[in-house]
């Protein structure tokens, strides 16, 4: 199933190779939970910091039945690592959401 994807860039130029890499990562998320309704990925290159150089921020918002999963990761200059970390965190949250929806996780009585 093709997951609807929206990619927004701020401070970066458009690159089809980067878009393809993001599409592959989003499709891989579909293997962990097949009911993803849409995914938004925002890449932002912030102003140069004195000690750390340019900061890259990756934000992944995933709309699923029963809620939304949002992950944000920041990294110095290396986009591949920032994407990897953000999508790994999104995968973990998506797996937790799937376990909860299946009833594998007990809810607290309260």
């Amino acid at each position: 199933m093709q997951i609807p994807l929206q990619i927004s860039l701020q401070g970066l130029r458009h690159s089809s190779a980067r878009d393809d890499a993001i599409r592959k990562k989003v499709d891989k998320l579909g293997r962990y939970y097949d009911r993803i309704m849409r995914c938004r990925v925002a890449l932002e290159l912030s102003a140069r910091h004195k000690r750390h150089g340019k900061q890259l921020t990756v934000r992944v918002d995933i709309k699923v039945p029963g809620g939304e999963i949002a992950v944000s990761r920041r990294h110095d200059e290396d986009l591949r690592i920032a994407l990897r970390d953000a999508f790994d965190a999104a995968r973990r949250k998506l797996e937790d959401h799937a376990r909860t929806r299946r009833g594998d996780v007990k809810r607290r009585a309260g």
Side-chain angles (χ1 to χ4, degrees):
M1 180 181 138
Q2 189 82 4
I3 298 170
L5 174 64
Q6 177 186 1
I7 300 173
S8 63
L9 306 171
Q10 188 173 13
L12 296 166
R13 293 181 186 262
H14 175 73
S15 167
S16 61
R18 179 178 46 234
D19 291 351
D20 291 341
I22 292 171
R23 166 57 64 193
K24 285 180 185 177
K25 289 184 179 295
V26 170
D27 288 341
K28 191 173 180 181
L29 288 177
R31 286 191 255 162
Y32 297 103
Y33 190 63
D34 61 350
R35 298 185 64 202
I36 296 174
M37 297 163 54
R38 76 169 179 261
C39 182
R40 283 180 279 158
V41 180
L43 305 173
E44 178 185 345
L45 183 65
S46 62
R48 186 171 173 86
H49 190 272
K50 287 182 181 179
R51 290 186 209 138
H52 302 291
K54 295 181 180 181
Q55 294 283 312
L56 292 165
T57 303
V58 178
R59 181 168 173 83
V60 180
D61 296 317
I62 303 169
K63 178 70 174 157
V64 293
E68 187 167 337
I69 296 169
V71 174
S72 181
R73 291 291 183 264
R74 177 173 275 188
H75 196 271
D76 302 340
E77 298 185 25
D78 196 352
L79 180 62
R80 288 181 300 137
I81 294 173
L83 281 172
R84 180 198 67 199
D85 292 348
F87 277 95
D88 284 348
R91 177 188 49 81
R92 288 189 299 271
K93 283 190 172 189
L94 196 59
E95 287 174 333
D96 290 343
H97 178 78
R99 277 191 288 274
T100 303
R101 295 288 288 189
R102 282 192 310 258
D104 293 346
V105 178
K106 292 182 181 179
R107 293 193 179 199
R108 228 182 229 187

